[in-house]
Amino acid sequence: MAEETKASSVVLPPTAASFSVWPPSERTRSSVTQRLAETLSTPSVLSQRYGVMDAEEAKATAAAIEEEAFKLASAFFSASSNEDVAENDGTATLQAYSKEISKRMLDAVKKHAAAATATPNSLTEQPSEGCSMLSVCVRYFWDF
């Protein structure tokens, strides 16, 4: 019993190993981009309000969003690592990266929805009240 007490009171020396969550690996960044593209191109709560992007547009948008967020977060990490290297494990940077992706994703779907509603289909839309396209154009420029 005395040996157990003696063994449990041994203090281990501190290790030099450290753990950091920033920067993410290429595999993690690729997964983020892929998941973001899926979110933009498949039915979801977000798409119910703002619509769904086609797969190619979603991939391009997701890649741009992730790249911009990564650059911004990396700049944040560089600035914060100068302040206190010992306590900078990257969690604040990872949080900033995540928030930036969310913000940019919402901006992108809003922009996509606005573009979809603002682009009339000129082949199916006809001027109302029986007027010709020429008279619509004349009225448009005349009002200036």
Side-chain angles (χ1 to χ4, degrees):
M1 188 101 144
E3 287 181 30
E4 285 181 32
T5 308
K6 189 176 184 181
S8 64
S9 64
V10 174
V11 178
L12 298 174
T15 61
S18 65
F19 178 75
S20 179
V21 295
W22 192 262
S25 67
E26 283 300 316
R27 182 176 174 213
T28 300
R29 291 183 64 197
S30 178
S31 295
V32 167
T33 302
Q34 181 180 2
R35 182 67 184 120
L36 186 54
E38 287 174 19
T39 300
L40 294 170
S41 64
T42 58
S44 65
V45 173
L46 195 64
S47 69
Q48 287 176 354
R49 181 163 184 164
Y50 299 107
V52 178
M53 291 182 184
D54 65 72
E56 290 304 312
E57 181 184 8
K59 284 180 185 178
T61 301
I65 289 170
E66 193 284 331
E67 182 65 30
E68 292 166 2
F70 181 78
K71 286 179 183 177
L72 185 83
S74 292
F76 175 81
F77 183 74
S78 295
S80 65
S81 64
N82 292 335
E83 294 171 7
D84 192 1
V85 176
E87 293 192 21
N88 190 2
D89 63 356
T91 54
T93 306
L94 189 61
Q95 186 176 21
Y97 172 71
S98 178
K99 283 182 180 180
E100 191 64 25
I101 287 175
S102 296
K103 177 183 160 282
R104 289 178 183 268
M105 180 179 63
L106 189 56
D107 290 345
V109 295
K110 285 180 179 179
K111 183 179 177 182
H112 173 76
T117 58
T119 309
N121 185 349
S122 60
L123 297 177
T124 59
E125 289 187 6
Q126 297 295 321
S128 60
E129 303 172 4
C131 60
S132 69
M133 286 301 283
L134 180 58
S135 65
V136 170
C137 290
V138 169
R139 261 191 287 154
Y140 177 76
F141 288 107
W142 186 260
D143 287 340
F144 282 114

